[in-house]
Amino acid sequence: MQIRHFNQLRGELTVPGDKSISHRSIMLGSLAKGTTEVTGFLQGADCLSSISCFQKMGIEIENNPSTNTVRIHGNGLHGLTAPATILDVGNSGTTTRLMSGILAAQPFTSTVDGDASIRKRPMGRIMKPLSLMGASFHSLEKEQCAPFTVSGGHLHGIHYASPVASAQVKSAILLAGLYAEGTTSVTEPALSRNHTELMFESFGVDIKSEGTTATVTPAKELHAQHIDVPGDISSAAYFIVAGLITPNSEITVRNVGINPTRDGILTVCRNMGADITLTNVKQDVGEPVADITVRTSSLHGCTIEGDIIPKLIDEIPIIAIMAAFADGTTTIKDAQELKVKESNRIDVMVDNLSAMGVDIEATDDGMIIHGGKPLHAATIDSKLDHRIAMSFAIAGGLADGDTEILGAECVNISYPTFYEDLGKLG
Ligand code: S3P
Protein backbone atom coordinates (compact mmCIF):
# COMPACT_ATOMS: atom_id res chain seq x y z
CA MET A 1 0.00 0.00 0.00
CA GLN A 2 1.14 3.52 -0.87
CA ILE A 3 0.98 6.08 1.99
CA ARG A 4 0.40 9.65 0.83
CA HIS A 5 1.91 12.62 2.61
CA PHE A 6 -0.38 14.37 5.10
CA ASN A 7 -0.08 18.06 5.95
CA GLN A 8 -2.43 18.15 8.90
CA LEU A 9 -4.75 15.78 10.74
CA ARG A 10 -7.90 17.16 12.33
CA GLY A 11 -11.10 15.73 13.71
CA GLU A 12 -12.40 13.13 16.08
CA LEU A 13 -12.90 9.39 15.95
CA THR A 14 -13.62 6.32 18.00
CA VAL A 15 -11.28 3.38 17.63
CA PRO A 16 -12.44 -0.27 17.69
CA GLY A 17 -12.87 -2.19 20.93
CA ASP A 18 -10.03 -3.29 23.15
CA LYS A 19 -8.41 -6.49 21.88
CA SER A 20 -7.47 -7.87 25.30
CA ILE A 21 -10.94 -7.30 26.75
CA SER A 22 -12.66 -8.69 23.64
CA HIS A 23 -10.70 -11.99 23.89
CA ARG A 24 -11.46 -12.33 27.58
CA SER A 25 -15.17 -11.64 27.04
CA ILE A 26 -15.39 -14.67 24.70
CA MET A 27 -13.52 -16.93 27.09
CA LEU A 28 -15.32 -15.99 30.30
CA GLY A 29 -18.66 -15.77 28.49
CA SER A 30 -18.10 -19.35 27.25
CA LEU A 31 -17.38 -20.61 30.78
CA ALA A 32 -20.29 -18.74 32.39
CA LYS A 33 -23.79 -20.11 32.74
CA GLY A 34 -26.27 -18.16 30.57
CA THR A 35 -25.97 -15.53 27.88
CA THR A 36 -23.22 -12.93 28.00
CA GLU A 37 -23.79 -9.97 25.72
CA VAL A 38 -20.75 -8.02 24.57
CA THR A 39 -21.01 -4.60 22.92
CA GLY A 40 -18.11 -2.75 21.30
CA PHE A 41 -16.50 -6.11 20.45
CA LEU A 42 -13.37 -5.88 18.27
CA GLN A 43 -13.99 -7.49 14.87
CA GLY A 44 -10.26 -8.06 14.32
CA ALA A 45 -8.99 -11.39 13.02
CA ASP A 46 -7.41 -12.23 16.40
CA CYS A 47 -10.68 -11.96 18.31
CA LEU A 48 -12.51 -13.87 15.58
CA SER A 49 -9.98 -16.67 16.19
CA SER A 50 -11.08 -16.77 19.83
CA ILE A 51 -14.73 -16.98 18.76
CA SER A 52 -14.10 -19.84 16.32
CA CYS A 53 -12.03 -21.85 18.83
CA PHE A 54 -14.79 -21.73 21.46
CA GLN A 55 -17.43 -22.52 18.84
CA LYS A 56 -15.39 -25.63 18.05
CA MET A 57 -15.73 -26.59 21.69
CA GLY A 58 -19.52 -26.53 21.48
CA ILE A 59 -20.29 -22.95 22.53
CA GLU A 60 -22.98 -21.13 20.58
CA ILE A 61 -21.67 -17.65 19.80
CA GLU A 62 -23.60 -15.17 17.66
CA ASN A 63 -21.51 -12.35 16.23
CA ASN A 64 -23.11 -9.34 14.59
CA PRO A 65 -20.25 -7.41 12.95
CA SER A 66 -22.54 -4.59 11.80
CA THR A 67 -23.26 -3.64 15.43
CA ASN A 68 -20.09 -5.09 17.02
CA THR A 69 -22.34 -7.09 19.33
CA VAL A 70 -21.63 -10.67 20.35
CA ARG A 71 -23.90 -13.03 22.28
CA ILE A 72 -22.22 -15.98 23.95
CA HIS A 73 -24.43 -18.78 25.23
CA GLY A 74 -22.20 -20.19 27.93
CA ASN A 75 -22.55 -23.78 29.11
CA GLY A 76 -20.94 -23.30 32.51
CA LEU A 77 -17.43 -24.07 33.73
CA HIS A 78 -17.65 -27.73 32.73
CA GLY A 79 -19.63 -27.24 29.52
CA LEU A 80 -16.92 -27.34 26.83
CA THR A 81 -16.83 -30.34 24.52
CA ALA A 82 -13.83 -31.88 22.75
CA PRO A 83 -13.14 -30.11 19.44
CA ALA A 84 -13.42 -32.32 16.37
CA THR A 85 -10.55 -30.53 14.62
CA ILE A 86 -7.43 -28.51 15.41
CA LEU A 87 -8.03 -25.26 17.32
CA ASP A 88 -6.69 -22.68 14.84
CA VAL A 89 -5.55 -19.52 16.64
CA GLY A 90 -4.40 -17.72 13.46
CA ASN A 91 -1.96 -14.96 14.47
CA SER A 92 -3.26 -14.61 18.01
CA GLY A 93 -0.88 -15.11 20.93
CA THR A 94 -3.61 -14.10 23.36
CA THR A 95 -5.95 -16.84 22.09
CA THR A 96 -3.14 -19.40 22.24
CA ARG A 97 -1.97 -18.67 25.75
CA LEU A 98 -5.22 -17.82 27.53
CA MET A 99 -7.14 -20.67 25.91
CA SER A 100 -4.36 -23.08 26.89
CA GLY A 101 -5.04 -22.23 30.53
CA ILE A 102 -8.64 -23.39 30.01
CA LEU A 103 -7.66 -26.45 27.92
CA ALA A 104 -5.28 -27.48 30.70
CA ALA A 105 -8.30 -28.29 32.86
CA GLN A 106 -10.55 -30.04 30.31
CA PRO A 107 -11.21 -33.79 30.34
CA PHE A 108 -10.07 -34.08 26.70
CA THR A 109 -7.01 -33.61 24.52
CA SER A 110 -6.88 -30.79 21.99
CA THR A 111 -4.42 -29.60 19.38
CA VAL A 112 -3.58 -25.92 18.99
CA ASP A 113 -1.93 -24.43 15.90
CA GLY A 114 -1.62 -21.07 14.19
CA ASP A 115 0.17 -19.16 11.44
CA ALA A 116 3.91 -18.94 10.74
CA SER A 117 4.38 -16.19 13.35
CA ILE A 118 2.54 -18.13 16.08
CA ARG A 119 4.68 -21.19 15.33
CA LYS A 120 7.78 -19.19 16.28
CA ARG A 121 6.48 -17.70 19.53
CA PRO A 122 7.55 -19.14 22.90
CA MET A 123 4.93 -21.35 24.53
CA GLY A 124 7.23 -22.89 27.14
CA ARG A 125 6.30 -19.92 29.33
CA ILE A 126 2.75 -21.32 29.71
CA MET A 127 3.56 -25.02 29.27
CA LYS A 128 5.80 -24.97 32.34
CA PRO A 129 3.36 -23.56 34.94
CA LEU A 130 0.33 -25.38 33.49
CA SER A 131 2.29 -28.65 33.60
CA LEU A 132 3.18 -27.94 37.24
CA MET A 133 -0.58 -27.68 37.85
CA GLY A 134 -1.17 -31.13 36.30
CA ALA A 135 -1.74 -30.67 32.54
CA SER A 136 0.44 -32.28 29.87
CA PHE A 137 1.73 -30.63 26.73
CA HIS A 138 3.32 -32.15 23.69
CA SER A 139 4.90 -29.99 20.97
CA LEU A 140 4.43 -31.60 17.57
CA GLU A 141 7.26 -29.91 15.66
CA LYS A 142 9.56 -27.42 17.37
CA GLU A 143 10.06 -27.79 21.14
CA GLN A 144 7.77 -25.52 23.20
CA CYS A 145 6.07 -23.98 20.17
CA ALA A 146 2.82 -24.47 18.28
CA PRO A 147 1.53 -26.83 17.02
CA PHE A 148 1.05 -28.60 20.36
CA THR A 149 -1.43 -30.86 22.09
CA VAL A 150 -2.80 -30.22 25.57
CA SER A 151 -4.18 -33.06 27.66
CA GLY A 152 -6.20 -31.63 30.45
CA GLY A 153 -5.59 -32.93 33.92
CA HIS A 154 -6.98 -32.79 37.39
CA LEU A 155 -5.31 -29.53 38.39
CA HIS A 156 -3.97 -28.39 41.71
CA GLY A 157 -3.21 -24.79 42.65
CA ILE A 158 0.35 -23.44 42.49
CA HIS A 159 2.14 -20.30 43.60
CA TYR A 160 4.09 -19.27 40.57
CA ALA A 161 6.85 -16.67 40.36
CA SER A 162 6.72 -15.79 36.69
CA PRO A 163 10.07 -14.87 35.11
CA VAL A 164 8.30 -12.45 32.72
CA ALA A 165 5.82 -9.62 33.24
CA SER A 166 3.24 -11.09 30.86
CA ALA A 167 -0.52 -10.82 31.18
CA GLN A 168 -0.87 -13.78 28.84
CA VAL A 169 1.15 -16.00 31.17
CA LYS A 170 -0.58 -14.65 34.27
CA SER A 171 -4.03 -15.06 32.71
CA ALA A 172 -3.38 -18.63 31.50
CA ILE A 173 -2.48 -19.64 35.06
CA LEU A 174 -5.42 -17.78 36.63
CA LEU A 175 -7.86 -19.36 34.14
CA ALA A 176 -6.48 -22.81 34.99
CA GLY A 177 -6.80 -21.80 38.65
CA LEU A 178 -10.59 -21.58 38.22
CA TYR A 179 -10.56 -25.40 38.03
CA ALA A 180 -7.72 -26.24 40.43
CA GLU A 181 -7.79 -27.73 43.87
CA GLY A 182 -6.71 -24.99 46.28
CA THR A 183 -5.78 -21.40 45.49
CA THR A 184 -3.50 -20.37 42.64
CA SER A 185 -1.33 -17.28 42.64
CA VAL A 186 1.02 -15.62 40.19
CA THR A 187 3.71 -13.10 41.11
CA GLU A 188 5.20 -11.08 38.27
CA PRO A 189 8.44 -9.09 38.14
CA ALA A 190 6.33 -6.01 37.21
CA LEU A 191 2.58 -5.59 36.99
CA SER A 192 1.11 -6.48 33.59
CA ARG A 193 -2.38 -5.59 32.31
CA ASN A 194 -5.07 -6.70 34.77
CA HIS A 195 -8.11 -7.17 32.51
CA THR A 196 -8.45 -10.84 33.50
CA GLU A 197 -8.55 -9.95 37.19
CA LEU A 198 -11.13 -7.19 36.62
CA MET A 199 -13.33 -9.39 34.46
CA PHE A 200 -13.07 -12.29 36.94
CA GLU A 201 -14.44 -9.92 39.54
CA SER A 202 -17.44 -8.96 37.42
CA PHE A 203 -18.21 -12.63 36.66
CA GLY A 204 -18.27 -13.32 40.40
CA VAL A 205 -14.89 -15.06 40.77
CA ASP A 206 -12.98 -14.65 44.04
CA ILE A 207 -9.77 -12.90 42.90
CA LYS A 208 -7.37 -10.79 44.92
CA SER A 209 -4.55 -8.56 43.75
CA GLU A 210 -1.78 -7.31 45.99
CA GLY A 211 1.21 -5.59 44.45
CA THR A 212 2.33 -7.82 41.61
CA THR A 213 0.59 -10.95 42.96
CA ALA A 214 -2.85 -12.11 41.83
CA THR A 215 -4.58 -14.96 43.69
CA VAL A 216 -7.64 -16.86 42.52
CA THR A 217 -9.85 -19.23 44.49
CA PRO A 218 -11.43 -21.98 42.36
CA ALA A 219 -14.88 -21.05 41.13
CA LYS A 220 -18.15 -23.00 41.42
CA GLU A 221 -19.94 -21.02 38.75
CA LEU A 222 -19.44 -17.87 36.65
CA HIS A 223 -22.44 -15.61 36.12
CA ALA A 224 -23.18 -14.32 32.61
CA GLN A 225 -22.60 -10.58 32.19
CA HIS A 226 -23.08 -7.61 29.95
CA ILE A 227 -19.69 -6.31 28.82
CA ASP A 228 -19.22 -2.97 27.10
CA VAL A 229 -15.74 -2.99 25.60
CA PRO A 230 -13.99 0.42 25.57
CA GLY A 231 -11.86 1.63 22.64
CA ASP A 232 -8.39 0.08 22.54
CA ILE A 233 -5.66 2.45 23.78
CA SER A 234 -3.18 0.45 21.70
CA SER A 235 -5.18 1.42 18.57
CA ALA A 236 -5.73 5.00 19.80
CA ALA A 237 -1.94 5.29 20.20
CA TYR A 238 -1.41 5.69 16.41
CA PHE A 239 -3.69 8.73 16.33
CA ILE A 240 -2.34 10.14 19.58
CA VAL A 241 1.17 10.13 18.15
CA ALA A 242 0.01 11.21 14.67
CA GLY A 243 -1.73 14.27 16.15
CA LEU A 244 1.37 15.22 18.14
CA ILE A 245 3.92 14.95 15.32
CA THR A 246 1.88 16.26 12.35
CA PRO A 247 1.91 20.06 11.88
CA ASN A 248 -1.35 22.02 12.51
CA SER A 249 -3.15 19.04 13.97
CA GLU A 250 -5.73 18.36 16.63
CA ILE A 251 -7.32 14.93 17.14
CA THR A 252 -9.78 13.68 19.73
CA VAL A 253 -10.14 9.93 20.24
CA ARG A 254 -13.37 9.20 22.12
CA ASN A 255 -14.13 6.48 24.66
CA VAL A 256 -10.62 5.03 25.04
CA GLY A 257 -9.82 2.54 27.82
CA ILE A 258 -7.29 4.13 30.18
CA ASN A 259 -6.78 1.26 32.62
CA PRO A 260 -3.66 2.24 34.66
CA THR A 261 -1.96 -1.03 33.63
CA ARG A 262 -2.25 0.09 29.99
CA ASP A 263 -1.71 3.85 30.06
CA GLY A 264 2.10 4.03 29.84
CA ILE A 265 1.83 5.73 26.43
CA LEU A 266 0.10 8.72 28.07
CA THR A 267 2.91 9.07 30.63
CA VAL A 268 5.56 8.90 27.89
CA CYS A 269 3.75 11.50 25.76
CA ARG A 270 3.62 13.85 28.74
CA ASN A 271 7.30 13.20 29.57
CA MET A 272 8.21 14.11 25.99
CA GLY A 273 6.36 17.41 26.19
CA ALA A 274 3.04 16.53 24.53
CA ASP A 275 -0.06 18.68 24.60
CA ILE A 276 -2.51 15.95 25.63
CA THR A 277 -5.72 16.25 27.65
CA LEU A 278 -8.22 13.75 28.98
CA THR A 279 -11.91 14.65 29.28
CA ASN A 280 -15.11 12.76 30.14
CA VAL A 281 -13.17 10.40 32.40
CA LYS A 282 -15.56 7.61 33.49
CA GLN A 283 -15.26 4.31 35.29
CA ASP A 284 -17.24 1.64 33.34
CA VAL A 285 -17.52 -1.56 35.42
CA GLY A 286 -13.92 -1.71 36.46
CA GLU A 287 -12.41 -0.34 33.25
CA PRO A 288 -11.90 3.44 33.19
CA VAL A 289 -12.44 5.32 29.90
CA ALA A 290 -11.79 8.86 28.64
CA ASP A 291 -11.73 11.04 25.54
CA ILE A 292 -8.15 11.89 24.62
CA THR A 293 -7.29 15.12 22.77
CA VAL A 294 -3.85 15.83 21.32
CA ARG A 295 -2.46 18.86 19.52
CA THR A 296 0.75 19.33 17.53
CA SER A 297 3.61 19.54 20.01
CA SER A 298 7.30 20.09 20.01
CA LEU A 299 8.65 16.91 21.61
CA HIS A 300 11.93 15.98 23.24
CA GLY A 301 13.50 12.57 23.84
CA CYS A 302 13.33 10.64 27.11
CA THR A 303 14.29 7.33 28.70
CA ILE A 304 11.66 4.59 28.94
CA GLU A 305 12.54 1.69 31.23
CA GLY A 306 11.55 -0.47 34.18
CA ASP A 307 8.03 -1.05 35.48
CA ILE A 308 6.38 1.14 32.83
CA ILE A 309 7.40 -1.25 30.02
CA PRO A 310 4.52 -3.75 30.44
CA LYS A 311 2.10 -0.79 30.53
CA LEU A 312 3.10 0.23 26.98
CA ILE A 313 4.60 -2.91 25.50
CA ASP A 314 2.39 -2.91 22.37
CA GLU A 315 2.89 0.84 21.85
CA ILE A 316 6.70 0.73 21.57
CA PRO A 317 6.67 0.67 17.74
CA ILE A 318 4.63 3.91 17.55
CA ILE A 319 6.62 5.39 20.46
CA ALA A 320 9.77 4.76 18.40
CA ILE A 321 8.18 6.74 15.54
CA MET A 322 7.36 9.56 17.98
CA ALA A 323 10.99 9.49 19.17
CA ALA A 324 12.20 9.87 15.58
CA PHE A 325 10.26 13.17 15.44
CA ALA A 326 11.41 14.36 18.89
CA ASP A 327 14.53 16.42 19.51
CA GLY A 328 17.38 14.59 21.22
CA THR A 329 17.78 10.99 22.23
CA THR A 330 15.15 8.48 23.35
CA THR A 331 16.38 5.31 25.03
CA ILE A 332 14.10 2.29 25.44
CA LYS A 333 15.37 -0.35 27.89
CA ASP A 334 14.04 -3.50 29.60
CA ALA A 335 11.92 -4.32 26.56
CA GLN A 336 13.46 -7.65 25.46
CA GLU A 337 9.88 -9.01 25.20
CA LEU A 338 9.66 -7.08 21.91
CA LYS A 339 11.73 -9.82 20.30
CA VAL A 340 8.95 -12.42 20.80
CA LYS A 341 5.92 -10.44 19.62
CA GLU A 342 4.22 -10.94 16.23
CA SER A 343 7.64 -10.07 14.78
CA ASN A 344 10.99 -9.22 16.38
CA ARG A 345 9.92 -5.63 16.92
CA ILE A 346 13.40 -4.39 17.89
CA ASP A 347 14.96 -5.55 14.62
CA VAL A 348 11.98 -4.64 12.46
CA MET A 349 11.72 -1.09 13.88
CA VAL A 350 15.46 -0.52 13.58
CA ASP A 351 15.62 -1.83 9.99
CA ASN A 352 12.64 0.16 8.77
CA LEU A 353 13.43 3.42 10.57
CA SER A 354 17.04 3.18 9.34
CA ALA A 355 15.65 2.81 5.80
CA MET A 356 13.85 6.13 6.35
CA GLY A 357 17.12 7.78 7.39
CA VAL A 358 16.64 7.77 11.16
CA ASP A 359 19.69 7.48 13.38
CA ILE A 360 18.66 4.43 15.46
CA GLU A 361 20.46 1.47 16.99
CA ALA A 362 19.24 -1.81 18.42
CA THR A 363 20.31 -2.85 21.91
CA ASP A 364 19.83 -6.17 23.70
CA ASP A 365 16.71 -4.97 25.47
CA GLY A 366 15.42 -2.10 23.35
CA MET A 367 16.68 0.67 21.09
CA ILE A 368 18.27 4.12 21.07
CA ILE A 369 16.79 6.73 18.75
CA HIS A 370 18.43 10.07 17.92
CA GLY A 371 15.46 12.07 16.69
CA GLY A 372 14.69 15.38 15.09
CA LYS A 373 15.84 14.87 11.49
CA PRO A 374 13.40 14.66 8.54
CA LEU A 375 12.32 11.17 7.45
CA HIS A 376 12.68 9.94 3.87
CA ALA A 377 10.13 7.81 2.07
CA ALA A 378 11.08 4.15 1.85
CA THR A 379 9.69 0.69 1.20
CA ILE A 380 8.66 -0.75 4.57
CA ASP A 381 8.45 -4.47 5.22
CA SER A 382 5.75 -4.91 7.89
CA LYS A 383 6.70 -8.60 8.34
CA LEU A 384 2.90 -9.02 8.51
CA ASP A 385 2.96 -7.46 12.00
CA HIS A 386 -0.11 -5.22 12.40
CA ARG A 387 1.56 -2.80 14.81
CA ILE A 388 4.53 -2.31 12.48
CA ALA A 389 2.23 -1.58 9.51
CA MET A 390 0.19 1.00 11.45
CA SER A 391 3.28 2.67 12.93
CA PHE A 392 4.82 3.16 9.49
CA ALA A 393 1.55 4.41 8.00
CA ILE A 394 1.97 7.33 10.42
CA ALA A 395 5.72 7.77 9.79
CA GLY A 396 5.16 7.45 6.02
CA GLY A 397 2.54 10.21 6.03
CA LEU A 398 5.19 12.62 7.31
CA ALA A 399 8.12 11.51 5.16
CA ASP A 400 9.15 13.27 1.96
CA GLY A 401 7.60 11.31 -0.91
CA ASP A 402 5.42 8.20 -0.96
CA THR A 403 6.11 5.33 1.40
CA GLU A 404 5.19 1.80 0.34
CA ILE A 405 4.13 -0.65 3.08
CA LEU A 406 4.44 -4.33 2.23
CA GLY A 407 1.83 -6.58 3.82
CA ALA A 408 -0.22 -3.51 4.83
CA GLU A 409 -3.45 -5.54 5.03
CA CYS A 410 -2.25 -7.20 8.27
CA VAL A 411 -3.87 -4.29 10.20
CA ASN A 412 -6.89 -6.57 9.91
CA ILE A 413 -5.56 -8.41 13.02
CA SER A 414 -6.48 -5.63 15.45
CA TYR A 415 -7.85 -2.67 13.44
CA PRO A 416 -9.59 -3.59 10.16
CA THR A 417 -10.71 0.01 9.40
CA PHE A 418 -7.38 1.67 10.26
CA TYR A 419 -6.57 3.18 6.84
CA GLU A 420 -10.14 4.49 6.35
CA ASP A 421 -10.08 6.12 9.79
CA LEU A 422 -6.70 7.71 9.10
CA GLY A 423 -7.96 8.92 5.71
CA LYS A 424 -10.90 10.71 7.35
CA LEU A 425 -8.56 12.88 9.44
CA GLY A 426 -6.16 13.86 6.65
C1 S3P B 1 -1.97 -9.24 25.96
C2 S3P B 1 -0.80 -9.16 26.66
C3 S3P B 1 0.47 -8.69 26.07
C4 S3P B 1 0.26 -7.93 24.76
C5 S3P B 1 -0.72 -8.63 23.87
C6 S3P B 1 -2.06 -8.80 24.56
C7 S3P B 1 -3.17 -9.74 26.64
O1 S3P B 1 1.28 -9.81 25.79
O2 S3P B 1 1.48 -7.76 24.11
O3 S3P B 1 -0.92 -7.88 22.68
O4 S3P B 1 -4.28 -9.54 26.13
O5 S3P B 1 -3.03 -10.35 27.71
P1 S3P B 1 2.25 -10.45 26.90
O6 S3P B 1 1.41 -10.78 28.04
O7 S3P B 1 2.83 -11.68 26.28
O8 S3P B 1 3.29 -9.41 27.16
Side-chain angles (χ1 to χ4, degrees), residues 60-246:
E60 189 192 336
I61 303 176
E62 302 163 73
N63 181 16
N64 186 343
S66 62
T67 59
N68 299 327
T69 302
V70 176
R71 287 164 66 83
I72 309 148
H73 303 285
N75 282 341
L77 260 185
H78 300 279
L80 299 180
T81 53
T85 54
I86 282 176
L87 295 169
D88 181 359
V89 298
N91 188 245
S92 175
T94 311
T95 309
T96 313
R97 298 200 178 103
L98 271 62
M99 183 173 68
S100 293
I102 296 170
L103 296 176
Q106 302 308 312
F108 51 76
T109 295
S110 28
T111 303
V112 178
D113 198 6
D115 69 6
S117 153
I118 275 292
R119 284 179 167 212
K120 285 197 245 161
R121 297 183 67 183
M123 295 301 155
R125 53 177 62 195
I126 52 152
M127 291 176 177
K128 182 177 170 202
L130 296 173
S131 301
L132 288 172
M133 293 177 81
S136 23
F137 285 83
H138 177 62
S139 313
L140 301 175
E141 286 175 19
K142 193 172 143 209
E143 198 58 31
Q144 304 199 322
C145 282
F148 58 83
T149 62
V150 197
S151 301
H154 179 73
L155 304 184
H156 50 84
I158 56 168
H159 301 288
Y160 192 66
S162 176
V164 277
S166 158
Q168 295 185 356
V169 171
K170 171 175 66 176
S171 301
I173 299 168
L174 294 176
L175 284 160
L178 291 175
Y179 295 88
E181 224 172 274
T183 60
T184 295
S185 65
V186 187
T187 301
E188 308 181 86
L191 186 64
S192 66
R193 65 192 66 193
N194 66 355
H195 304 298
T196 300
E197 295 92 306
L198 293 178
M199 207 181 282
F200 269 16
E201 224 168 276
S202 45
F203 276 81
V205 175
D206 181 359
I207 174 99
K208 292 197 173 46
S209 299
E210 234 185 281
T212 62
T213 301
T215 306
V216 65
T217 303
K220 289 205 178 60
E221 194 160 68
L222 270 61
H223 310 293
Q225 292 301 308
H226 175 86
I227 299 167
D228 191 16
V229 182
D232 197 325
I233 192 166
S234 299
S235 298
Y238 304 101
F239 298 106
I240 292 173
V241 170
L244 293 173
I245 63 178
T246 307

